[in-house]
Coordinates of all heavy atoms in Angstrom, one line a residue:
A153 N -18.3 -8.2 1.1 CA -18.0 -8.2 2.5 C -17.2 -7.0 2.9 O -17.4 -6.3 3.9 CB -17.3 -9.5 3.0
L154 N -16.2 -6.6 2.1 CA -15.4 -5.5 2.3 C -16.1 -4.2 2.0 O -15.6 -3.1 2.4 CB -14.1 -5.6 1.5 CG -13.1 -6.6 2.0 CD1 -12.0 -6.8 0.9 CD2 -12.5 -6.2 3.3
G155 N -17.1 -4.2 1.2 CA -17.8 -3.0 0.8 C -17.1 -2.3 -0.3 O -17.3 -1.0 -0.4
V156 N -16.4 -3.0 -1.2 CA -15.7 -2.3 -2.3 C -16.5 -2.6 -3.6 O -17.2 -3.6 -3.7 CB -14.2 -2.7 -2.4 CG1 -13.5 -2.3 -1.2 CG2 -14.1 -4.1 -2.8
V157 N -16.3 -1.8 -4.6 CA -17.0 -1.9 -5.9 C -16.0 -1.7 -6.9 O -14.9 -1.1 -6.7 CB -18.2 -1.0 -6.0 CG1 -19.3 -1.2 -5.0 CG2 -17.7 0.5 -5.9
E158 N -16.3 -2.2 -8.1 CA -15.3 -2.0 -9.2 C -15.6 -0.7 -9.9 O -16.7 -0.2 -9.9 CB -15.4 -3.2 -10.2 CG -16.8 -3.4 -10.8 CD -16.9 -4.7 -11.6 OE1 -15.9 -5.4 -11.6 OE2 -17.9 -5.0 -12.2
R159 N -14.6 -0.1 -10.4 CA -14.7 1.2 -11.1 C -14.1 1.1 -12.5 O -13.5 0.1 -12.9 CB -13.9 2.2 -10.3 CG -14.4 2.4 -8.9 CD -15.8 3.1 -8.9 NE -16.3 3.4 -7.6 CZ -17.5 3.8 -7.4 NH1 -18.3 4.1 -8.3 NH2 -17.9 4.0 -6.1
A160 N -14.3 2.1 -13.3 CA -13.7 2.2 -14.6 C -12.2 2.0 -14.4 O -11.6 2.5 -13.5 CB -14.0 3.5 -15.2
Y161 N -11.6 1.2 -15.3 CA -10.1 0.9 -15.3 C -9.7 0.1 -14.1 O -8.5 0.0 -13.8 CB -9.3 2.2 -15.3 CG -9.3 2.9 -16.6 CD1 -10.0 4.1 -16.8 CD2 -8.6 2.4 -17.7 CE1 -10.0 4.7 -18.0 CE2 -8.7 3.0 -19.0 CZ -9.4 4.2 -19.1 OH -9.4 4.8 -20.3
Q162 N -10.7 -0.4 -13.3 CA -10.3 -1.2 -12.1 C -11.2 -2.4 -11.9 O -12.3 -2.3 -11.4 CB -10.3 -0.3 -10.9 CG -9.8 -1.0 -9.7 CD -9.8 -0.1 -8.4 OE1 -10.8 0.5 -8.2 NE2 -8.7 0.0 -7.7
P163 N -10.7 -3.6 -12.4 CA -11.5 -4.8 -12.1 C -11.8 -5.0 -10.6 O -11.1 -4.4 -9.8 CB -10.6 -5.9 -12.7 CG -9.7 -5.2 -13.7 CD -9.5 -3.9 -13.1
L164 N -12.7 -5.8 -10.3 CA -13.1 -6.0 -8.9 C -12.0 -6.5 -8.0 O -11.8 -6.0 -6.9 CB -14.3 -6.9 -8.9 CG -15.1 -7.0 -7.5 CD1 -15.6 -5.6 -7.2 CD2 -16.2 -7.9 -7.6
E165 N -11.2 -7.4 -8.5 CA -10.1 -7.9 -7.7 C -9.1 -6.8 -7.4 O -8.6 -6.8 -6.3 CB -9.4 -9.1 -8.4 CG -8.3 -9.7 -7.5 CD -7.8 -11.0 -8.1 OE1 -8.5 -11.9 -8.4 OE2 -6.5 -11.1 -8.1
A166 N -8.9 -5.9 -8.3 CA -8.0 -4.8 -8.1 C -8.5 -3.9 -7.0 O -7.8 -3.4 -6.2 CB -7.7 -4.0 -9.4
A167 N -9.8 -3.7 -7.0 CA -10.4 -2.9 -5.9 C -10.3 -3.6 -4.6 O -10.0 -2.9 -3.6 CB -11.9 -2.7 -6.2
V168 N -10.4 -4.9 -4.5 CA -10.2 -5.6 -3.3 C -8.8 -5.5 -2.8 O -8.5 -5.2 -1.6 CB -10.6 -7.1 -3.5 CG1 -10.1 -7.9 -2.3 CG2 -12.1 -7.3 -3.7
L169 N -7.8 -5.7 -3.7 CA -6.4 -5.5 -3.3 C -6.1 -4.1 -2.9 O -5.3 -3.9 -2.0 CB -5.5 -5.9 -4.5 CG -5.6 -7.4 -4.9 CD1 -4.7 -7.7 -6.1 CD2 -5.4 -8.3 -3.8
D170 N -6.7 -3.1 -3.5 CA -6.6 -1.7 -3.1 C -7.0 -1.6 -1.7 O -6.3 -0.9 -0.8 CB -7.4 -0.8 -4.0 CG -6.5 0.0 -4.9 OD1 -5.3 -0.1 -4.8 OD2 -7.1 0.8 -5.7
R171 N -8.2 -2.1 -1.3 CA -8.7 -2.0 0.0 C -7.8 -2.7 1.0 O -7.5 -2.1 2.1 CB -10.1 -2.6 0.0 CG -10.7 -2.9 1.4 CD -10.9 -1.6 2.2 NE -11.4 -1.9 3.5 CZ -10.7 -2.3 4.6 NH1 -9.3 -2.4 4.5 NH2 -11.2 -2.5 5.8
L172 N -7.4 -3.9 0.7 CA -6.6 -4.7 1.7 C -5.2 -4.1 1.8 O -4.5 -4.4 2.8 CB -6.6 -6.1 1.3 CG -7.9 -6.9 1.4 CD1 -7.8 -8.3 0.9 CD2 -8.4 -6.9 2.9
G173 N -4.7 -3.5 0.7 CA -3.4 -3.0 0.7 C -3.1 -1.7 1.4 O -2.0 -1.2 1.4

Side-chain angles (χ1 to χ4, degrees):
L154 287 169
V156 302
V157 296
E158 60 191 1
R159 298 290 182 187
Y161 288 107
Q162 187 179 46
L164 193 58
E165 182 171 311
V168 169
L169 297 180
D170 250 1
R171 164 63 180 85
L172 295 174

